[in-house]
Amino acid sequence: MHPQAASTTAGGHSHGSTPLLPLALIVSLFFLWGVANNLNDVLVAQFKKAFTLSDFQAALVQSAFYLGYFIVALPAGAYMRRYGYKSAVIFGLCLYGVGALLFWPAAAYATYAMFLAALFVIACGLAFLETSANPYVTLLGPASSAAARLNLAQAFNPLGSITGVLIGQQFIFTGVEHTPQELAAMSAGAHEAFMKSEAAAVQLPYLVIGLGVIAWAGVIWLTRFPSVAHREDGVPAPRGVLKRLLRDGRLLGAIAAQFFYVGAQVAVFSHMIRYTQATMPGTSAKSAAGFVTAGLVFFMAGRFAGAALMKHLKASRVLALFALANVLLMAVAAFIAGRPGIYALVASSFFMSVMYPTIFALGVEGKGDDERKFAAALLVMAIIGGAVLTAAMGVASDCVGIAHAMLVPAVCFVAIFLFAQQHWQRAVAGVTA
C-alpha cells in the first residue's frame, strides 16, 4: 500500500507505514518557527541601535511577537477543528511569509511601529503552526511511534533557533558600532543615514525568509497527505469543557508556570547581547551574538540530558532541580557581572531546555481528547509571558541596570520550582496513598 494511502483509525493514526514526505514537511515547521523566534533576539539589539531605543522600547519586539501568540491561539485551534490540520498549517505559513515580507516596507520607511506590526503578523502565523503541527505529527503514522515522531520533530526546533541567530549575526549585524558621544557629534543628516542603513540591514534576510516560507506553503498544498480525522469520536466537543478546565487547579498551575517560563527564556535570550556589551565594554553586537549561539547549543544538549534523566527521575523532579539551578545562575549573572555572569546565562540555557515540554506534558496529563486540545490552546496562550516579562525586564534594566535586571527571570524560575515541587509532592502522595 502506498504510504500516503494508508488506512487510518478513528483517531487519525495510520495502520500502515509512516508517510515520509508529509512527515518531513511538517517536521520542517519546527525548524522554521525556531528561526523566527530567535531572530528576534538579534532584532532587539539591532533595533535598539537603529532607532536609539531604551531597553524597554527594544523589548517591545518580543511584546508584539508574543501578543500575537496570545490573541490567535484559541482562534487557531477553532480553525484547525473546522478545516483540518493541513489547512491550518498552510494558513499559518502564509501569515508567517506575509509578516516577513512586511519587513521590506518597514525598513524602507525606517518605522519601528511598522516592524512591530510585521512581527505581530509573523507571530499569528506561528500560533497556527504550533497549534496544528504538534498534534499533526502524532497522527502521521502508527500510534505506537507517535512519541518518537514528536521527539524527532522537536529536535529540529533548536536547530532552527541556532540558524536564526547565525542569520542575524552574519547578515543583519553590520559590525558598525558608535558610542553615544559619537552619535551626538554626528550631523542630523549623517545620523539619519546611519539609522536608515541599520534598519535596511533586515530587508534582504526577511525577504528571503518570506519568499521561502510562502514557497514551502505551496509545496505542502501540492503534497498529498493521508486522510486523518481531527476528532477521535467524530462528534462536537462536549459543552462546558473550557469552563471545567478553568476550574482545574493543576492546569492553572501549569499555565502560570508556562507563563513564567516563556517570560524567563525570552527575557534572557533577548537581553543576552545587551548584557554582554554592557558588562564587557567594547564587545561588538556581532561578537556578543556568539554567546546566544552557544546558549542554544547548550539548550539542545539539555534536551537530550533531561530526557535521559527522566528515565530515572519523575519529570516534575527534574523540572524542580533544573529550575533551582537556574535561580542560582541568574543570581550569579545579577551579582557577578562580566564574563562569569555571561557564562552563567549561557549555562542557564541547558537547564531551560526541558521546561516548556515538561510543563506542557504535566498540564495535559490524564486529560481526554477534548480536554487535551483545549488545555493545549490555553498553554500556548501562556506564551504571552514572553511579551509581559521581557518588557518588565527592560523596565528593570533602565532603572537598575541590565545585570540586576536578571533578578526578574530569577523570580520566574522560583515560580517554576514551586509548581514542580507541588506537582512532585502530589505524585508522591498519590503513590503512598
Side-chain angles (χ1 to χ4, degrees), residues 56-129:
F56 168 71
Q57 290 170 322
L60 292 179
V61 164
Q62 301 290 19
S63 298
F65 191 79
Y66 288 99
L67 184 63
Y69 270 99
F70 178 76
I71 292 174
V72 175
L74 283 177
Y79 182 100
M80 179 182 67
R81 287 177 62 84
R82 177 158 185 168
Y83 298 107
Y85 294 102
K86 181 179 175 180
S87 179
V89 165
I90 293 170
F91 189 64
L93 284 170
C94 289
L95 283 175
Y96 180 176
V98 168
L101 293 178
L102 287 174
F103 267 58
W104 191 276
Y109 288 102
T111 305
Y112 187 46
M114 287 184 67
F115 279 118
L116 297 182
L119 284 166
F120 179 83
V121 174
I122 291 175
C124 290
L126 299 190
F128 271 85
L129 295 184

Side-chain angles (χ1 to χ4, degrees), residues 336-350:
I336 312 178
R339 195 167 290 276
I342 295 166
Y343 290 159
L345 293 182
V346 171
S348 74
S349 305
F350 180 93

Side-chain angles (χ1 to χ4, degrees), residues 158-184:
L159 288 176
S161 298
I162 293 169
T163 302
V165 174
L166 291 176
I167 289 171
Q169 189 177 23
Q170 298 301 319
F171 300 106
I172 293 179
F173 285 150
T174 61
V176 179
E177 307 278 349
H178 290 296
T179 65
Q181 294 77 18
E182 289 171 338
L183 289 173

Side-chain angles (χ1 to χ4, degrees), residues 38-333:
N38 285 87
L39 260 173
N40 288 350
D41 302 329
V42 171
L43 293 180
V44 170
Q46 182 68 7
F47 290 158
K48 182 177 174 63
K49 179 171 61 168
F51 297 103
T52 319
L53 304 173
S54 68
D55 287 341
F56 168 71
Q57 290 170 322
L60 292 179
V61 164
Q62 301 290 19
S63 298
F65 191 79
Y66 288 99
L67 184 63
Y69 270 99
F70 178 76
I71 292 174
V72 175
L74 283 177
Y79 182 100
M80 179 182 67
R81 287 177 62 84
R82 177 158 185 168
Y83 298 107
Y85 294 102
K86 181 179 175 180
S87 179
V89 165
I90 293 170
F91 189 64
L93 284 170
C94 289
L95 283 175
Y96 180 176
V98 168
L101 293 178
L102 287 174
F103 267 58
W104 191 276
Y109 288 102
T111 305
Y112 187 46
M114 287 184 67
F115 279 118
L116 297 182
L119 284 166
F120 179 83
V121 174
I122 291 175
C124 290
L126 299 190
F128 271 85
L129 295 184
E130 293 212 34
T131 303
S132 55
N134 281 290
Y136 204 10
V137 166
T138 67
L139 299 177
L140 290 175
S144 59
S145 59
R149 289 194 301 278
L150 190 54
N151 276 323
L152 171 66
Q154 288 175 340
F156 282 82
N157 184 250
L159 288 176
S161 298
I162 293 169
T163 302
V165 174
L166 291 176
I167 289 171
Q169 189 177 23
Q170 298 301 319
F171 300 106
I172 293 179
F173 285 150
T174 61
V176 179
E177 307 278 349
H178 290 296
T179 65
Q181 294 77 18
E182 289 171 338
L183 289 173
M186 284 183 181
S187 67
H191 188 263
E192 183 179 357
F194 169 71
M195 291 177 63
K196 283 187 175 181
S197 68
E198 292 296 322
V202 304
Q203 280 184 308
L204 186 57
Y206 272 88
L207 175 65
V208 173
I209 290 170
L211 293 176
V213 166
I214 291 173
W216 207 245
V219 171
I220 290 177
W221 179 62
L222 292 171
T223 301
R224 185 182 166 207
F225 279 70
S227 176
V228 296
H230 47 275
R231 287 274 305 140
E232 285 187 359
D233 48 16
V235 299
R239 296 171 65 88
V241 170
L242 190 57
K243 187 181 293 185
R244 187 163 65 251
L245 288 175
L246 292 176
R247 293 197 296 264
D248 184 337
R250 292 176 69 177
L251 174 62
L252 293 178
I255 292 170
Q258 203 70 287
F259 174 91
F260 284 113
Y261 165 67
V262 176
Q265 182 203 320
V266 175
V268 169
F269 275 111
S270 296
H271 293 285
M272 194 179 292
I273 295 173
R274 164 84 174 112
Y275 179 94
T276 304
Q277 290 186 291
T279 60
M280 292 180 61
T283 306
S284 69
K286 183 172 283 194
S287 298
F291 289 107
V292 179
T293 304
L296 290 168
V297 172
F298 271 67
F299 187 91
M300 187 163 54
R303 283 212 161 150
F304 290 104
L309 270 176
M310 287 179 194
K311 293 180 180 178
H312 307 287
L313 296 174
K314 287 187 176 295
S316 54
R317 200 59 173 159
V318 174
L319 180 63
L321 292 172
F322 277 30
L324 187 58
N326 269 352
V327 173
L328 298 176
L329 289 169
M330 291 303 111
V332 170

